[in-house]
Amino acid sequence: SMEVALAGLFTVLLCCRPMLAGCRRVTIFPSVLTFHEGSIATFSCNISMEHDSGSEYSLNWYKEMNHSQGQKIAEMSQNNPVMKTEKYRLTNHTPVFKIEILNLHQNDSGSYYCGLITFFEPDKVMESNRSRLVVTAAPEMSPTEDPETEETNPSDHIKTMLLGILLLAGVVLLLIFSYLTITYRRGDVQKPPSENTQVEEKPSVVSISTVDYGVLEFQRDEHTQVPPETRAVDQTEYATIIFPEEKPVTP
């Protein structure tokens, strides 16, 4: 932005002097950061060194509120690659130094800047431009909305696996029962009709006796006539009657 460019130019004009072999410039970016509470804000400080004589230096980070005097919050030497505190994490990627402000709160809002401290140099302190940090309240979440960073409870995962296994076992048992039922029915249909139908009971034989009536005629010998005197008054004649074999009659 235009403000950053003007601030950089102003810094260059101040730091460049004829007595120095080179010129140093310290800048911080980005110029403005806005985050919710609980987030992490990162500022980077770039150190530009031309014709560096190899002198030792360290980098300090400052915070100022309501345009008051800056307060030192962290320090890092050129030979220290990483440093971490409860509130800040510093990394050294020369010529860029980074500061991460952890677990932001609203009272972290303010202006931040970095300062280069050089040893055995006429200008021992060189400050960067200011960057603004704005921390807002965390958005309220509805009761039905789950936080994005919520981790899955291991017990819930185990319960889900057990439920899936039980459902799978139930499906397998249902398939086996259906298969056995269909197989049994097919076997029953394929039996010969003689096995499926009940044995018909033979009708009981009922013997019915019948009586046939007839007239017996006795032939007389017409040629031999017996005188009436010699004929007995009571004469008995006998005959043999043969009945046919009885046949069973079905009712």
Side-chain angles (χ1 to χ4, degrees), residues 73-74 83-90 99-102:
I73 58 176
M83 188 184 71
K84 182 178 180 181
T85 63
E86 184 178 356
K87 186 64 180 178
Y88 306 101
R89 180 167 55 235
L90 308 175
I99 182 172
E100 294 176 282
I101 307 172
L102 310 175

Side-chain angles (χ1 to χ4, degrees), residues 86-136:
E86 184 178 356
K87 186 64 180 178
Y88 306 101
R89 180 167 55 235
L90 308 175
T91 54
N92 179 4
H93 301 288
T94 307
V96 178
F97 292 79
K98 290 184 179 181
I99 182 172
E100 294 176 282
I101 307 172
L102 310 175
N103 192 19
L104 291 176
H105 296 281
Q106 290 187 353
N107 56 6
D108 292 324
S109 299
S111 296
Y112 291 83
Y113 62 97
C114 55
L116 179 65
I117 311 298
T118 57
F119 304 102
F120 312 111
E121 291 282 345
D123 291 342
K124 294 185 177 181
V125 180
M126 201 173 305
E127 295 180 355
S128 68
N129 53 311
R130 269 61 171 167
S131 291
R132 181 74 178 169
L133 173 63
V134 179
V135 181
T136 59

Side-chain angles (χ1 to χ4, degrees), residues 136-154:
T136 59
E140 295 183 0
M141 301 181 62
S142 60
T144 57
E145 187 177 354
D146 295 332
E148 296 179 357
T149 58
E150 183 179 359
E151 297 182 356
T152 304
N153 193 347

Side-chain angles (χ1 to χ4, degrees), residues 1-9 25 27-31 129-130:
S1 63
M2 184 63 67
E3 295 178 357
V4 176
L6 293 176
L9 180 60
R25 184 162 56 100
T27 57
I28 186 174
F29 57 91
S31 58
N129 53 311
R130 269 61 171 167

